[in-house]
Amino acid sequence: MKVYFCGSIRGGREDVVIYQKIVKKLQSYGSVLTEHVSSAELTHRGEDASDAADRFIHDRDVDWLRQSDAVVAEVTQPSLGVGYELGRVVDMKKKTLCLFRPASGRVLSAMIRGAHDGELFVVKDYSEDDMEDVVDEFFAVMKQT
Ligand SMILES: O=c1[nH]c(=O)n([C@H]2C[C@H](O)[C@@H](COP(=O)(O)O)O2)cc1CO
């Protein structure tokens, strides 16, 4: 199973420790194509800030999205890139889980929460303590369908 993980990079790296825990959990289900998103070395500048590199990153990531069997996004830290990726995956009809932490005090964008359909596109509120259970439930339901 190939899993695409989405998390904020240029939108801010405040949640990188949580991304690491989620990626570790996802790796118990398959290979995570975007493991770099959880790297502590990756700053808010991204992998490289040149125009050529940005095109490479965009094209590579859209290709990885197409290849993926499931998409899991941590959406608490707002990110243009994550929002864009989620818009593309809705069109690709990929099985998608968006994870949001209400304890952050933020209110999730209506364009993400409002896209929840309970089947292909699932938005779940979670806390760090129950992240593993929420991910397990997502993959358990996915296996049944
Ligand atoms: O260097 C990068 N590498 C990369 O893979 N991305 C992708 C994966 C992340 O899920 C998403 C983050 O977008 P943003 O940088 O706008 O927060 O975009 C984004 C960047 C920088 O925008």
Side-chain angles (χ1 to χ4, degrees):
M1 154 119 56
K2 289 182 189 167
V3 184
Y4 189 106
F5 173 71
C6 313
S8 170
I9 298 178
R10 293 191 187 156
R13 299 293 286 160
E14 285 86 340
D15 287 345
V16 68
V17 173
I18 295 170
Y19 301 163
Q20 285 163 6
K21 290 180 190 160
I22 296 172
V23 165
K24 199 168 163 219
K25 177 67 183 169
L26 297 176
Q27 283 169 334
S28 69
Y29 284 97
S31 67
V32 176
L33 300 171
T34 50
E35 190 180 1
H36 66 280
V37 173
S38 69
S39 165
E41 270 102 69
L42 189 59
T43 71
H44 70 281
R45 301 195 60 78
E47 294 172 75
D48 188 337
S50 66
D51 287 352
D54 282 358
R55 173 159 295 281
F56 171 83
I57 290 165
H58 170 273
D59 293 354
R60 178 202 63 193
D61 285 3
V62 171
D63 194 46
W64 277 345
L65 277 174
R66 283 202 187 94
Q67 287 178 38
S68 64
D69 302 300
V71 177
V72 176
E74 215 295 349
V75 295
T76 309
Q77 174 73 41
S79 152
L80 285 171
V82 173
Y84 173 84
E85 289 166 338
L86 292 171
R88 297 294 301 257
V89 300
V90 167
D91 254 13
M92 291 178 200
K93 302 194 189 331
K94 298 272 176 193
K95 186 82 181 140
T96 303
L97 172 65
C98 298
L99 296 167
F100 178 76
R101 298 191 322 283
S104 63
R106 295 184 189 273
V107 180
L108 180 58
S109 167
M111 297 308 288
I112 303 299
R113 187 154 329 256
H116 171 89
D117 65 14
E119 280 182 31
L120 267 187
F121 196 91
V122 174
V123 180
K124 277 271 181 192
D125 289 339
Y126 80 107
S127 67
E128 283 188 67
D129 290 344
D130 66 9
M131 177 273 289
E132 298 213 4
D133 293 342
V134 171
V135 170
D136 283 337
E137 192 195 333
F138 172 74
F139 283 104
V141 171
M142 195 176 149
K143 265 190 205 140
Q144 290 162 16
T145 52

